[in-house]
Amino acid sequence: MRIELEKRPQASKLYGLVSPLLALVLTLVAGAIMFEILGKNPIEALDAFFLEPLLEVWSLHELAIKAAPLIMIAVGLAVCYRSNNWNIGAEGQFTMGAITGSILPILFTEWHSPLVLPLMLIMGALGGALFAGIPALLKAHFNTNEILTSLMLVYIAQLFLDWLIRGAWRNPAGFNFPESVSFPPEAVLPAIWEESGRAHWAFIFAIIAAILVWFMLKYTLKGFEIVVLGQSERAGRFAGFSSKKMIWFSFLFSGALAGLAGISEVSGSIGHLQPAISPGYGFTAIIVAFLGRLNPLGIIASGLVLALTYLGGEAAQLSIGVSDKVTRVFQGLLLFFVLSCDTLIAYKIRIVWSRIRGGVA
């Protein structure tokens, strides 16, 4: 007996809808097996991961805080991936957006104006876009692999942030801790509903971005251009579309959203710059984008699911005593099963039985 993959005559619409749900179920099953191996009760562990964080109003606010950067970054990545441009460096663009957006509250501490926060958000988006422009330039004009260049730039951004916070931007009154000065009130992203929790306006920005990008992809010429060039560059050229311009557009657009997510996270959730401002949002957003089928509206749902793994991981550390690495394992399993189950959209599994004749199979 052997198992083969046979290409379908046309992509399965059924599996296109069922694939993400099947991936979630398989992730839960694999997670239960993992907890059993770790000596933990699988039911208690999964309850701590996926149900406990949803039982309190304040934890729903925390869910929105963690979902906001995931949704915002993933929406930008969806534009890149649908145009067949593979931006893997959103984590670095997130970091550079946080750095450039923090210039005003850190270097101009005496300037108190209602314009501070809007300018911070604009500068954060510009910083992320400019940093994403580096792999765009290298691909468009030197045919460099954008996966490698965008990924390597992540480490440059993180090390640059660490150098700044331990050097020129370190708070002189911070008792030698590696962090910047705290942002003044006019540089802090306000809470949506302060009486019940600390979720801030970054979540609203993320939802608005998802809706606008969905509209762009579905109803505008630019959306049609993204889809056509993503499916066939040759067909796009016949339609008069430029693949080089699309490289620039997709990278700058996704970088801007990642940078906006970065400064929103620093301004709304942290309140200052520090060496670690992200638990890996830029990389997790790749899972969010694919789990959401590269559809901005689907990304909202998948962003909430992945945010739940972060929140559930923190709850599980306290309630059942597991390592924080379990969260990464869950996210890795989810990506693995999403990509595996997506195979069933274009291929079907066929079992071939071989008969034994004359002692030879």
Side-chain angles (χ1 to χ4, degrees), residues 64-76 189 192 200-214 257 260-261 264 296-297 299-300 303-304:
I65 289 172
K66 287 179 166 45
L70 292 174
I71 294 171
M72 206 178 305
I73 298 169
V75 165
L189 204 59
I192 300 172
H200 47 77
W201 275 80
F203 185 71
I204 304 297
F205 294 161
I207 300 300
I208 292 173
I211 293 172
L212 291 178
V213 172
W214 170 81
L257 283 181
L260 180 60
S264 298
L297 299 184
I299 284 171
I300 295 175
L304 290 168

Side-chain angles (χ1 to χ4, degrees), residues 45 184 192 203 206 236-237 248 308 331:
I192 300 172
F203 185 71
R237 285 201 303 270
W248 279 103
L308 186 59
Q331 293 172 351

Side-chain angles (χ1 to χ4, degrees), residues 159-179:
L159 290 171
F160 181 59
L161 172 63
D162 191 79
W163 175 76
L164 279 175
I165 297 306
R166 297 181 190 276
W169 285 10
R170 177 184 286 182
N171 183 3
F175 302 100
N176 216 30
F177 285 102
E179 61 183 34

Side-chain angles (χ1 to χ4, degrees), residues 10-89:
Q10 58 184 14
S12 170
K13 293 183 179 179
L14 174 62
Y15 276 107
L17 297 173
V18 172
S19 175
L21 299 176
L22 181 59
L24 283 173
V25 171
L26 291 174
T27 301
L28 292 176
V29 172
I33 295 171
M34 176 183 67
F35 284 124
E36 185 67 37
I37 294 172
L38 292 173
K40 307 294 182 181
N41 185 309
I43 296 177
E44 291 181 4
L46 292 175
D47 177 74
F49 243 91
F50 295 105
L51 292 180
E52 191 176 313
L54 300 177
L55 300 180
E56 300 287 345
V57 174
W58 69 267
S59 63
L60 294 178
H61 279 258
E62 296 301 312
L63 182 69
I65 289 172
K66 287 179 166 45
L70 292 174
I71 294 171
M72 206 178 305
I73 298 169
V75 165
L77 291 179
V79 172
C80 257
Y81 298 160
R82 291 185 72 160
S83 66
N84 201 29
N85 292 294
W86 299 94
N87 180 7
I88 309 298

Side-chain angles (χ1 to χ4, degrees), residues 2 34 43 45 52 68 71 127 146 152 166 189 205 247 263 269 319 353:
R2 67 178 187 272
M34 176 183 67
I43 296 177
E52 191 176 313
I71 294 171
E146 74 274 23
M152 289 188 290
R166 297 181 190 276
L189 204 59
F205 294 161
I247 292 170
I263 186 56
S269 304
S319 59
W353 298 91

